[in-house]
CSV table of all heavy atoms in Angstrom, one decimal:
chain,number,residue,atom,x,y,z
A,2,GLY,N,-15.8,-2.1,-7.1
A,2,GLY,CA,-16.3,-3.4,-7.3
A,2,GLY,C,-16.4,-3.7,-8.8
A,2,GLY,O,-16.3,-4.8,-9.3
A,3,PHE,N,-16.8,-2.6,-9.6
A,3,PHE,CA,-16.9,-2.7,-11.1
A,3,PHE,C,-15.5,-3.1,-11.6
A,3,PHE,O,-15.4,-4.1,-12.4
A,3,PHE,CB,-17.4,-1.5,-11.6
A,3,PHE,CG,-17.3,-1.5,-13.1
A,3,PHE,CD1,-18.1,-2.3,-14.0
A,3,PHE,CD2,-16.6,-0.5,-13.9
A,3,PHE,CE1,-18.2,-2.2,-15.3
A,3,PHE,CE2,-16.7,-0.4,-15.2
A,3,PHE,CZ,-17.4,-1.3,-15.9
A,4,MET,N,-14.4,-2.5,-11.2
A,4,MET,CA,-13.1,-2.8,-11.6
A,4,MET,C,-12.8,-4.2,-11.2
A,4,MET,O,-12.1,-4.8,-12.0
A,4,MET,CB,-12.1,-1.7,-11.1
A,4,MET,CG,-12.3,-0.3,-11.6
A,4,MET,SD,-11.9,-0.2,-13.4
A,4,MET,CE,-10.1,-0.4,-13.3
A,5,ALA,N,-13.1,-4.6,-10.1
A,5,ALA,CA,-12.8,-5.9,-9.6
A,5,ALA,C,-13.5,-7.0,-10.5
A,5,ALA,O,-12.8,-8.0,-10.9
A,5,ALA,CB,-13.3,-6.2,-8.2
A,6,GLU,N,-14.7,-6.7,-10.9
A,6,GLU,CA,-15.4,-7.6,-11.8
A,6,GLU,C,-14.7,-7.7,-13.2
A,6,GLU,O,-14.5,-8.7,-13.8
A,6,GLU,CB,-16.9,-7.1,-11.9
A,6,GLU,CG,-17.7,-8.0,-13.0
A,6,GLU,CD,-17.8,-9.5,-12.7
A,6,GLU,OE1,-17.5,-9.9,-11.5
A,6,GLU,OE2,-18.0,-10.3,-13.6
A,7,LEU,N,-14.3,-6.5,-13.7
A,7,LEU,CA,-13.5,-6.6,-15.0
A,7,LEU,C,-12.3,-7.3,-14.9
A,7,LEU,O,-11.9,-8.0,-15.8
A,7,LEU,CB,-13.4,-5.1,-15.5
A,7,LEU,CG,-14.7,-4.3,-15.8
A,7,LEU,CD1,-14.2,-2.9,-16.5
A,7,LEU,CD2,-15.5,-5.1,-16.9
A,8,ALA,N,-11.6,-7.1,-13.7
A,8,ALA,CA,-10.3,-7.8,-13.5
A,8,ALA,C,-10.6,-9.2,-13.4
A,8,ALA,O,-9.7,-10.1,-14.0
A,8,ALA,CB,-9.6,-7.3,-12.2
A,9,ARG,N,-11.6,-9.8,-12.8
A,9,ARG,CA,-12.0,-11.2,-12.7
A,9,ARG,C,-12.2,-11.7,-14.2
A,9,ARG,O,-11.7,-12.8,-14.4
A,9,ARG,CB,-13.2,-11.4,-11.9
A,9,ARG,CG,-13.5,-12.8,-11.6
A,9,ARG,CD,-14.9,-13.0,-11.0
A,9,ARG,NE,-16.0,-12.6,-11.9
A,9,ARG,CZ,-16.3,-13.3,-12.9
A,9,ARG,NH1,-15.7,-14.4,-13.2
A,9,ARG,NH2,-17.3,-12.8,-13.8
A,10,ARG,N,-13.1,-11.0,-14.9
A,10,ARG,CA,-13.3,-11.5,-16.2
A,10,ARG,C,-12.1,-11.5,-17.1
A,10,ARG,O,-11.9,-12.5,-17.9
A,10,ARG,CB,-14.3,-10.5,-16.9
A,10,ARG,CG,-15.7,-10.5,-16.3
A,10,ARG,CD,-16.6,-9.7,-17.0
A,10,ARG,NE,-18.0,-9.6,-16.3
A,10,ARG,CZ,-19.0,-9.0,-16.9
A,10,ARG,NH1,-19.0,-8.5,-18.1
A,10,ARG,NH2,-20.2,-9.0,-16.2
A,11,ALA,N,-11.2,-10.6,-17.0
A,11,ALA,CA,-9.9,-10.5,-17.7
A,11,ALA,C,-9.1,-11.8,-17.4
A,11,ALA,O,-8.5,-12.5,-18.2
A,11,ALA,CB,-9.1,-9.2,-17.5
A,12,ALA,N,-9.0,-12.1,-16.0
A,12,ALA,CA,-8.1,-13.2,-15.6
A,12,ALA,C,-8.8,-14.4,-16.0
A,12,ALA,O,-8.1,-15.4,-16.6
A,12,ALA,CB,-8.0,-13.2,-14.1
A,13,ASP,N,-10.1,-14.6,-15.9
A,13,ASP,CA,-10.8,-15.8,-16.4
A,13,ASP,C,-10.6,-16.1,-17.8
A,13,ASP,O,-10.4,-17.2,-18.4
A,13,ASP,CB,-12.2,-15.8,-15.9
A,13,ASP,CG,-12.4,-15.9,-14.4
A,13,ASP,OD1,-11.4,-16.4,-13.7
A,13,ASP,OD2,-13.5,-15.8,-14.0
A,14,ALA,N,-10.8,-14.9,-18.7
A,14,ALA,CA,-10.8,-15.1,-20.1
A,14,ALA,C,-9.4,-15.4,-20.6
A,14,ALA,O,-9.3,-16.1,-21.5
A,14,ALA,CB,-11.2,-13.7,-20.7
A,15,PHE,N,-8.4,-14.9,-19.9
A,15,PHE,CA,-7.0,-15.3,-20.4
A,15,PHE,C,-6.9,-16.8,-20.2
A,15,PHE,O,-6.3,-17.4,-21.0
A,15,PHE,CB,-6.0,-14.5,-19.5
A,15,PHE,CG,-4.5,-14.8,-19.8
A,15,PHE,CD1,-4.0,-14.0,-20.9
A,15,PHE,CD2,-3.8,-15.7,-19.2
A,15,PHE,CE1,-2.7,-14.3,-21.3
A,15,PHE,CE2,-2.5,-16.0,-19.5
A,15,PHE,CZ,-1.9,-15.3,-20.6
A,16,GLY,N,-7.2,-17.4,-18.9
A,16,GLY,CA,-7.0,-18.7,-18.8
A,16,GLY,C,-8.0,-19.6,-19.7
A,16,GLY,O,-7.5,-20.7,-20.1
A,17,ALA,N,-9.1,-19.1,-20.2
A,17,ALA,CA,-10.0,-19.9,-21.0
A,17,ALA,C,-9.7,-19.6,-22.5
A,17,ALA,O,-10.4,-20.3,-23.3
A,17,ALA,CB,-11.4,-19.4,-20.7
A,18,GLY,N,-8.8,-18.8,-22.8
A,18,GLY,CA,-8.5,-18.6,-24.2
A,18,GLY,C,-9.5,-17.7,-24.9
A,18,GLY,O,-9.7,-17.8,-26.2
A,19,ASP,N,-10.2,-16.9,-24.2
A,19,ASP,CA,-11.4,-16.1,-24.7
A,19,ASP,C,-10.8,-14.7,-25.0
A,19,ASP,O,-10.9,-13.8,-24.1
A,19,ASP,CB,-12.4,-16.0,-23.7
A,19,ASP,CG,-13.7,-15.3,-24.3
A,19,ASP,OD1,-13.6,-14.6,-25.3
A,19,ASP,OD2,-14.8,-15.3,-23.5
A,20,ALA,N,-10.2,-14.5,-26.2
A,20,ALA,CA,-9.7,-13.3,-26.6
A,20,ALA,C,-10.5,-12.0,-26.6
A,20,ALA,O,-10.2,-11.0,-26.2
A,20,ALA,CB,-8.9,-13.4,-27.9
A,21,GLU,N,-11.8,-12.2,-27.0
A,21,GLU,CA,-12.8,-11.2,-27.2
A,21,GLU,C,-13.1,-10.6,-25.8
A,21,GLU,O,-13.1,-9.5,-25.6
A,21,GLU,CB,-14.0,-11.6,-27.9
A,21,GLU,CG,-15.0,-10.6,-28.1
A,21,GLU,CD,-16.2,-11.1,-28.8
A,21,GLU,OE1,-16.2,-12.2,-29.3
A,21,GLU,OE2,-17.2,-10.3,-28.9
A,22,THR,N,-13.4,-11.6,-24.9
A,22,THR,CA,-13.8,-11.1,-23.5
A,22,THR,C,-12.6,-10.4,-22.8
A,22,THR,O,-12.8,-9.4,-22.1
A,22,THR,CB,-14.4,-12.2,-22.7
A,22,THR,OG1,-15.4,-12.8,-23.2
A,22,THR,CG2,-14.6,-11.8,-21.2
A,23,LEU,N,-11.4,-11.0,-23.0
A,23,LEU,CA,-10.2,-10.5,-22.3
A,23,LEU,C,-10.0,-8.9,-23.0
A,23,LEU,O,-9.8,-8.1,-22.1
A,23,LEU,CB,-9.0,-11.2,-22.7
A,23,LEU,CG,-7.6,-10.7,-22.4
A,23,LEU,CD1,-7.5,-10.5,-20.8
A,23,LEU,CD2,-6.5,-11.7,-22.8
A,24,ASP,N,-10.0,-8.7,-24.2
A,24,ASP,CA,-9.9,-7.4,-24.8
A,24,ASP,C,-10.8,-6.5,-24.2
A,24,ASP,O,-10.6,-5.3,-23.9
A,24,ASP,CB,-9.9,-7.5,-26.3
A,24,ASP,CG,-9.5,-6.2,-27.0
A,24,ASP,OD1,-8.2,-5.8,-26.9
A,24,ASP,OD2,-10.3,-5.5,-27.5
A,25,ALA,N,-12.1,-6.8,-24.2
A,25,ALA,CA,-13.2,-6.0,-23.8
A,25,ALA,C,-13.0,-5.6,-22.4
A,25,ALA,O,-13.2,-4.5,-21.9
A,25,ALA,CB,-14.6,-6.6,-24.0
A,26,ALA,N,-12.6,-6.5,-21.5
A,26,ALA,CA,-12.5,-6.3,-20.0
A,26,ALA,C,-11.3,-5.3,-19.8
A,26,ALA,O,-11.4,-4.4,-19.0
A,26,ALA,CB,-12.2,-7.6,-19.3
A,27,LEU,N,-10.2,-5.5,-20.5
A,27,LEU,CA,-9.0,-4.6,-20.4
A,27,LEU,C,-9.2,-3.2,-20.9
A,27,LEU,O,-9.0,-2.3,-20.1
A,27,LEU,CB,-7.8,-5.2,-21.1
A,27,LEU,CG,-7.3,-6.6,-20.5
A,27,LEU,CD1,-6.1,-7.1,-21.4
A,27,LEU,CD2,-6.8,-6.4,-19.1
A,28,ARG,N,-9.9,-3.1,-22.1
A,28,ARG,CA,-10.3,-1.8,-22.5
A,28,ARG,C,-11.3,-1.1,-21.7
A,28,ARG,O,-11.2,0.1,-21.4
A,28,ARG,CB,-10.7,-1.9,-23.9
A,28,ARG,CG,-9.6,-2.4,-24.9
A,28,ARG,CD,-10.1,-2.4,-26.3
A,28,ARG,NE,-9.0,-2.9,-27.2
A,28,ARG,CZ,-8.0,-2.2,-27.7
A,28,ARG,NH1,-7.9,-1.0,-27.3
A,28,ARG,NH2,-7.1,-2.8,-28.4
A,29,GLY,N,-12.3,-1.8,-21.2
A,29,GLY,CA,-13.3,-1.3,-20.4
A,29,GLY,C,-12.7,-0.7,-19.0
A,29,GLY,O,-13.0,0.3,-18.5
A,30,ALA,N,-11.7,-1.4,-18.5
A,30,ALA,CA,-11.1,-1.1,-17.2
A,30,ALA,C,-10.2,0.2,-17.5
A,30,ALA,O,-10.3,1.2,-16.7
A,30,ALA,CB,-10.2,-2.1,-16.7
A,31,ARG,N,-9.5,0.2,-18.7
A,31,ARG,CA,-8.6,1.3,-18.9
A,31,ARG,C,-9.4,2.6,-19.1
A,31,ARG,O,-9.1,3.8,-18.6
A,31,ARG,CB,-7.8,1.1,-20.2
A,31,ARG,CG,-6.8,2.2,-20.6
A,31,ARG,CD,-6.2,1.9,-21.8
A,31,ARG,NE,-7.0,1.9,-22.9
A,31,ARG,CZ,-6.7,1.7,-24.2
A,31,ARG,NH1,-5.4,1.5,-24.5
A,31,ARG,NH2,-7.7,1.7,-25.1
A,32,ASP,N,-10.5,2.5,-19.9
A,32,ASP,CA,-11.4,3.7,-20.1
A,32,ASP,C,-12.0,4.1,-18.8
A,32,ASP,O,-12.2,5.3,-18.6
A,32,ASP,CB,-12.4,3.3,-21.1
A,32,ASP,CG,-12.0,3.0,-22.5
A,32,ASP,OD1,-10.8,3.4,-22.8
A,32,ASP,OD2,-12.7,2.4,-23.4
A,33,PHE,N,-12.5,3.2,-17.9
A,33,PHE,CA,-13.2,3.5,-16.7
A,33,PHE,C,-12.1,4.4,-15.8
A,33,PHE,O,-12.5,5.3,-15.0
A,33,PHE,CB,-13.7,2.4,-16.0
A,33,PHE,CG,-14.7,2.8,-14.9
A,33,PHE,CD1,-16.1,3.2,-15.2
A,33,PHE,CD2,-14.4,2.7,-13.6
A,33,PHE,CE1,-17.0,3.5,-14.3
A,33,PHE,CE2,-15.4,3.1,-12.6
A,33,PHE,CZ,-16.6,3.4,-13.0
A,34,LEU,N,-10.9,3.9,-15.7
A,34,LEU,CA,-9.9,4.6,-15.0
A,34,LEU,C,-9.7,6.0,-15.5
A,34,LEU,O,-9.8,7.0,-14.7
A,34,LEU,CB,-8.5,3.8,-15.0
A,34,LEU,CG,-8.4,2.7,-14.3
A,34,LEU,CD1,-7.0,2.0,-14.4
A,34,LEU,CD2,-8.4,3.0,-12.7
A,35,LYS,N,-9.5,6.2,-16.7
A,35,LYS,CA,-9.3,7.5,-17.3
A,35,LYS,C,-10.6,8.4,-17.1
A,35,LYS,O,-10.2,9.7,-16.8
A,35,LYS,CB,-9.0,7.2,-18.8
A,35,LYS,CG,-8.9,8.6,-19.6
A,35,LYS,CD,-8.6,8.4,-21.0
A,35,LYS,CE,-8.4,9.7,-21.8
A,35,LYS,NZ,-8.3,9.4,-23.3
A,36,GLU,N,-11.8,8.0,-17.3
A,36,GLU,CA,-12.9,8.8,-17.4
A,36,GLU,C,-13.5,9.0,-16.0
A,36,GLU,O,-14.3,10.0,-15.8
A,36,GLU,CB,-13.9,8.2,-18.3
A,36,GLU,CG,-13.5,8.1,-19.8
A,36,GLU,CD,-14.3,7.3,-20.7
A,36,GLU,OE1,-15.4,6.9,-20.2
A,36,GLU,OE2,-13.9,7.0,-21.7
A,37,HIS,N,-13.1,8.3,-15.0
A,37,HIS,CA,-13.8,8.2,-13.8
A,37,HIS,C,-12.8,8.1,-12.6
A,37,HIS,O,-12.5,9.2,-11.9
A,37,HIS,CB,-14.9,7.2,-13.6
A,37,HIS,CG,-16.0,7.4,-14.6
A,37,HIS,ND1,-16.9,8.3,-14.5
A,37,HIS,CD2,-16.2,6.7,-15.8
A,37,HIS,CE1,-17.8,8.3,-15.5
A,37,HIS,NE2,-17.3,7.3,-16.3
A,38,LEU,N,-12.4,7.0,-12.1
A,38,LEU,CA,-11.6,6.8,-11.0
A,38,LEU,C,-10.4,7.8,-10.8
A,38,LEU,O,-10.2,8.5,-9.8
A,38,LEU,CB,-11.1,5.4,-10.8
A,38,LEU,CG,-12.2,4.5,-10.3
A,38,LEU,CD1,-11.9,3.0,-10.4
A,38,LEU,CD2,-12.4,4.7,-8.7
A,39,LEU,N,-9.7,7.9,-11.9
A,39,LEU,CA,-8.4,8.8,-11.9
A,39,LEU,C,-8.8,10.3,-11.9
A,39,LEU,O,-7.9,11.1,-11.7
A,39,LEU,CB,-7.5,8.5,-12.9
A,39,LEU,CG,-6.7,7.1,-12.7
A,39,LEU,CD1,-5.9,6.8,-14.0
A,39,LEU,CD2,-5.7,7.2,-11.6
A,40,VAL,N,-10.0,10.6,-12.2
A,40,VAL,CA,-10.4,12.0,-12.1
A,40,VAL,C,-10.7,12.5,-10.8
A,40,VAL,O,-10.4,13.6,-10.4
A,40,VAL,CB,-11.7,12.2,-13.0
A,40,VAL,CG1,-12.3,13.6,-12.9
A,40,VAL,CG2,-11.4,11.9,-14.6
A,41,TRP,N,-11.3,11.5,-9.9
A,41,TRP,CA,-11.7,12.0,-8.6
A,41,TRP,C,-11.0,11.4,-7.4
A,41,TRP,O,-11.0,12.0,-6.3
A,41,TRP,CB,-13.2,11.9,-8.6
A,41,TRP,CG,-13.7,10.4,-8.3
A,41,TRP,CD1,-13.9,9.5,-9.3
A,41,TRP,CD2,-14.2,9.9,-7.1
A,41,TRP,NE1,-14.4,8.4,-8.8
A,41,TRP,CE2,-14.6,8.6,-7.5
A,41,TRP,CE3,-14.3,10.4,-5.8
A,41,TRP,CZ2,-15.2,7.8,-6.5
A,41,TRP,CZ3,-14.8,9.5,-4.9
A,41,TRP,CH2,-15.3,8.2,-5.2
């Protein structure tokens, strides 16, 4: 659900031209995958 929310934010930010939110959502998702979901 957390990853889904970050994915929603990224998609919305891309369409709205919000580069800061887009970058934060993509980096947050990548880090969460590496540190959590892909571990277990």
